[in-house]
């Protein structure tokens, strides 16, 4: 996963979404709301087509799913599910881009904390790696252990559980390949003797299909070879890399 910057919708599109949401709220109050029919009818309209196009644009040319970053994002996903939360059905910050597999796993599952806060990662709101970790041996995403509280991240645990991020063989294979590709790039630069950080980061960013650079430079990966070697033996290149990545992976 990676943090995704949410784009702004054009004012006319956002206004049309607000009108639809107001109509949903009115029907809900009156007891006449058919959630699936309402969404199906709206999905065919121009404003929702613009929403989908905007979400795809947020994910770059490959239009990857915002949850797994592995498969093609095919449809609009409601972070707070439209059932049982129709009050957020047409709210722009609640709409994400999702692949068919992540959508099927998540469905209407939406665990909440005791104080009513989501226990799933919203990649457009937060840095997923604050809650997730990566196992380079298996290629699985797992919950992050928070040493400050001496426990696993609750949001990480639930995100992994709901999206089955530790049980999807094809997903794990994609993440492992990306990690191996990034590692090979760092090893090549280490072999030159004096890594040039700007060149390195450009190649790493182009090769990072799964948002792993945050883990490699800011998470547990920074202690593992070859990233740990770069950090220990070339502190200036490491510091320059960190500075460049801060603007890319932690906007």
């Amino acid at each position: 996963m990676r943090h995704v910057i949410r784009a702004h919708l054009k004012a006319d599109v956002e206004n049309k979404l607000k009108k639809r949401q107001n109509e949903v709220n009115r029907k809900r109050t009156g007891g006449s709301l058919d959630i699936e029919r309402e969404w199906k009818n709206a999905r065919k309209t121009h404003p929702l087509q613009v929403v989908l196009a905007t979400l795809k644009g947020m994910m770059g040319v490959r239009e990857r799913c915002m949850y797994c970053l592995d498969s093609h994002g095919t449809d609009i996903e409601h972070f707070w599910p439209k059932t049982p939360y129709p009050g957020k059905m047409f709210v722009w910050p609640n709409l994400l881009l999702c692949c068919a597999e992540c959508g099927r796993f998540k469905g209407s599952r939406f665990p909440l904390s005791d104080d009513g806060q989501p226990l799933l990662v919203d990649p457009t709101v937060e840095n997923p790696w604050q809650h997730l970790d990566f196992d380079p041996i298996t290629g699985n995403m797992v919950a992050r252990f928070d040493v400050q509280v001496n426990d696993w991240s609750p949001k990480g645990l639930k995100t992994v559980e709901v999206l089955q991020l530790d049980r999807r063989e094809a997903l794990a294979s994609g993440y492992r390949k990306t990690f191996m590709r990034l590692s090979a790039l760092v090893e090549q630069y280490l072999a030159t003797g004096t890594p040039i950080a700007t060149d390195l980061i450009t190649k790493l960013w182009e090769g990072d299909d799964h948002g792993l650079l945050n883990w490699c430079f800011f998470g547990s990966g920074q202690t593992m070879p070859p990233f740990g070697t770069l950090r220990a033996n070339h502190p200036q290149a490491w510091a320059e890399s960190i500075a460049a990545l801060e603007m890319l992976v932690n906007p």
Side-chain angles (χ1 to χ4, degrees):
M1 279 192 188
R2 69 162 54 100
H3 180 62
V4 178
I5 301 300
R6 183 169 289 278
H8 293 288
L9 288 178
K10 292 182 178 180
D12 63 324
V13 174
E14 190 148 16
N15 286 335
K16 289 175 181 177
L17 288 183
K18 289 178 180 178
K19 287 181 180 179
R20 284 202 170 266
Q21 187 60 59
N22 289 338
E23 182 65 10
V24 165
N25 296 343
R26 184 189 66 79
K27 290 181 179 179
R28 183 185 184 190
T29 300
S32 62
L33 177 62
D34 184 328
I35 294 174
E36 294 303 326
R37 179 183 297 177
E38 198 75 29
W39 179 252
K40 183 178 180 180
N41 290 339
R43 190 63 184 79
K44 303 172 185 177
T45 63
H46 176 68
L48 268 295
Q49 292 174 5
V50 172
V51 166
L52 180 59
T54 303
L55 290 170
K56 288 182 176 181
M58 287 161 56
M59 297 309 293
V61 293
R62 295 191 178 182
E63 300 176 352
R64 297 281 182 104
C65 169
M66 292 179 177
Y67 287 132
C68 70
L69 260 182
D70 189 66
S71 301
H72 182 71
T74 56
D75 208 350
I76 299 170
E77 144 75 3
H78 295 84
F79 181 66
W80 289 75
K82 61 184 184 297
T83 304
Y85 302 104
K88 297 180 181 290
M89 191 186 304
F90 294 104
V91 176
W92 170 233
N94 192 49
L95 305 180
L96 305 178
L97 183 69
C98 186
C99 70
E101 191 167 24
C102 284
R104 178 167 53 85
F105 286 136
K106 180 173 179 283
S108 60
R109 298 179 66 189
F110 198 66
L112 300 173
S113 64
D114 291 340
D115 60 354
Q117 296 303 307
L119 282 176
L120 295 182
V121 169
D122 181 348
T124 68
V125 170
E126 57 202 325
N127 174 8
W129 296 106
Q130 292 177 346
H131 307 283
L132 298 172
D133 209 336
F134 172 68
D135 183 343
I137 297 176
T138 64
N140 289 329
M141 278 191 286
V142 296
R144 180 175 177 267
F145 189 81
D146 190 338
V147 294
Q148 293 184 344
V149 298
N150 196 36
D151 203 354
W152 305 99
S153 162
K155 188 173 284 191
L157 287 171
K158 285 298 181 181
T159 299
V160 170
E161 175 189 331
V162 170
L163 297 175
Q164 299 191 24
L165 299 178
D166 58 348
R167 302 186 207 174
R168 295 160 62 176
E169 186 174 345
L171 179 63
S173 176
Y175 270 79
R176 281 196 75 248
K177 287 178 181 178
T178 289
F179 177 69
M180 292 170 66
R181 180 166 57 249
L182 298 178
S183 296
L185 286 169
V186 173
E187 288 169 352
Q188 290 172 14
Y189 272 81
L190 287 172
T192 67
T194 308
I196 301 174
T198 53
D199 293 344
L200 175 60
I201 293 304
T202 298
K203 289 186 177 293
L204 287 173
W205 186 253
E206 291 174 350
D208 185 16
D209 287 340
H210 293 87
L212 281 175
L213 284 179
N214 202 309
W215 179 82
C216 293
F217 281 85
F218 302 99
S220 305
Q222 65 181 293
T223 65
M224 300 180 181
F227 300 95
T229 305
L230 176 66
R231 182 186 182 198
N233 297 349
H234 301 277
Q236 182 176 347
W238 179 264
E240 291 173 357
S241 299
I242 290 291
L245 284 169
E246 279 281 7
M247 302 180 64
L248 294 170
V249 301
N250 293 319

